[in-house]
Amino acid sequence: MANLKLVTISGSLRKGSYNRMLLAEAAEAFGPAEVIEGDLALSLYDGDLEAASGVPEAVQTLAQQIKDADAVVISAPEYNKGITGVLKNALDWISRVEGAAFKDKPTVVVSAAAGRTGGETAQFMTLSCLTQLQARLLPGTAVLIAGAMNAFDENGKLKDETSRKLLTTRMQALRAEVS
């Protein structure tokens, strides 16, 4: 399949976040594709806001990007042993858009975190949310980058060869799923 579209979603808004670095590595490992970074700078989900104004345009844009993508990779950082507020908020908003953006969408979740488990709890929580959204979650060994503050070099590249190989294997499997 030519001109694949890959949507990347970081559960961290910080430009220099380890999860954005991990997504850049994932996109590179995925191979040639149009890479679209989902914007999670969204208003907090509020049913009253939705009732009064409908689903915000930024949410509709994100949902459409996911629908139009061939594949999605989400990097889920862990804050206080759980999913980040911005990622959960985005998934909640996306669930309100007609057409089930994630339904049957080939999706992989990866994580980078400062702690010693590499974001394992946040990754499992994210996978649970995505199951409800009917994403097609690719099975495979979890990519969990622990001690993220030491895992990347000055150019944002993973230093550990085992982590690079694991990420490459996951991204090649995602590509094979959509090619």
Side-chain angles (χ1 to χ4, degrees), residues 86-143:
V86 296
L87 182 54
K88 180 65 168 90
N89 185 59
L91 295 175
D92 289 345
W93 265 124
I94 290 166
S95 75
R96 305 301 298 161
V97 177
E98 287 191 39
F102 274 105
K103 185 175 174 130
D104 297 322
K105 186 66 58 183
T107 304
V108 166
V109 179
V110 297
S111 298
R116 66 181 176 261
T117 64
E120 183 177 50
T121 303
Q123 189 169 128
F124 288 144
M125 290 175 76
T126 302
L127 291 166
S128 179
C129 292
L130 290 167
T131 297
Q132 294 303 308
L133 298 177
Q134 302 177 47
R136 184 161 29 113
L137 300 168
L138 268 64
T141 304
V143 176

Side-chain angles (χ1 to χ4, degrees), residues 14 23 50 54 92 95 118 121 149 156 178:
R14 191 171 62 87
L23 285 173
E50 181 184 9
D92 289 345
S95 75
T121 303
M149 63 287 211
V178 298

